[in-house]
Amino acid sequence: MKQVHNHEGLGSDPDGTLYDPGVRASMGAFALGDDTLALEAAAAVRSASQAVDRLRGQGAGGRGLSAGALDVLARLSAGDEDGLTIGELARAAGVSSRNVTGLVDTLERDRLAERVQDRHDRRSVRARITPAGRDWLDAFRQPTQRAMSAVFQGFSPAELAQFRHLCLRLVENQRRIEHHLNSQSQEHTS
């Protein structure tokens, strides 16, 4: 199997697909010679995610918002003036309420979001974006769109749709596995 190395330190398999020689070597050692394709794919997803997060961070203009906080802020911007509950934000993001509470704390500290009492249920609190949060997102939008256009340069619309689809299949699989493990755990404690 002929392998070619390009100038970015990546290799190409005979079919033209890219791989990272360092990752392949370390995964081969880890897997004791077994098939490493799934392990290499997981490492590639992690590397791609880190690359996108680095670009998003640069677009944040040193504001220091994590990807999670940025996601919550974007979700709040799409909500109505009543805002969203922590539970709604957690379900939408696929994370724990505790995680979202910390992210809202960060956004509130930076005056990008605020907690408000639910108009329909006085026991409930909602989070909503502030005018400063909207201004921040407006300033962040153009640099982010330019960065994402650059990082996905050369991808066709069909490739972008397929890439999105494959990433979300990973998410579905992870959620299914987590649900199965949680169900098993509950069976053992009953």
Side-chain angles (χ1 to χ4, degrees):
M1 177 178 349
K2 184 176 183 242
Q3 298 172 348
V4 178
H5 296 278
N6 65 27
H7 65 283
E8 285 94 20
L10 298 177
S12 293
D13 284 326
D15 65 358
T17 57
L18 297 175
Y19 72 94
D20 182 319
V23 168
R24 181 166 286 175
S26 63
M27 291 300 122
F30 174 75
L32 301 176
D34 287 340
D35 183 21
T36 63
L37 193 54
L39 295 171
E40 287 182 60
V45 167
R46 189 173 48 256
S47 293
S49 175
Q50 290 168 349
V52 168
D53 282 347
R54 278 193 303 276
L55 279 176
R56 285 173 71 174
Q58 289 172 355
R63 189 77 183 245
L65 281 189
S66 68
L70 181 57
D71 183 56
V72 167
L73 189 61
R75 289 177 193 281
L76 290 174
S77 76
D80 61 24
E81 71 270 358
D82 288 338
L84 299 165
T85 67
I86 298 295
E88 289 168 337
L89 288 166
R91 281 188 295 282
V95 298
S96 72
S97 292
R98 183 178 185 174
N99 187 330
V100 170
T101 297
L103 296 171
V104 170
D105 288 345
T106 298
L107 293 170
E108 198 169 32
R109 184 189 68 235
D110 291 343
R111 294 182 167 79
L112 301 176
E114 63 186 352
R115 286 181 171 85
V116 293
Q117 193 170 18
D118 189 317
R119 293 185 304 147
H120 305 291
D121 181 356
R122 291 176 37 181
R123 297 167 295 167
S124 184
V125 173
R126 302 175 80 78
R128 70 178 176 200
I129 192 168
T130 63
R134 288 198 189 283
D135 291 345
W136 190 93
L137 275 179
D138 286 343
F140 180 74
R141 185 173 291 111
Q142 276 193 326
T144 299
Q145 287 174 325
R146 281 194 303 271
M148 292 306 113
S149 291
V151 79
F152 287 106
Q153 181 179 356
F155 284 66
S156 70
E159 288 171 323
L160 287 172
Q162 182 66 8
F163 184 69
R164 179 192 64 208
H165 171 76
L166 294 171
C167 289
L168 291 175
R169 280 183 52 196
L170 286 174
V171 171
E172 279 185 331
N173 286 346
Q174 180 273 330
R175 288 180 179 163
R176 181 182 42 78
I177 291 165
E178 196 171 71
H179 177 75
H180 178 74
L181 293 174
N182 288 337
S183 296
Q184 282 184 329
S185 175
Q186 289 174 357
E187 287 175 12
H188 291 279
T189 59
S190 301

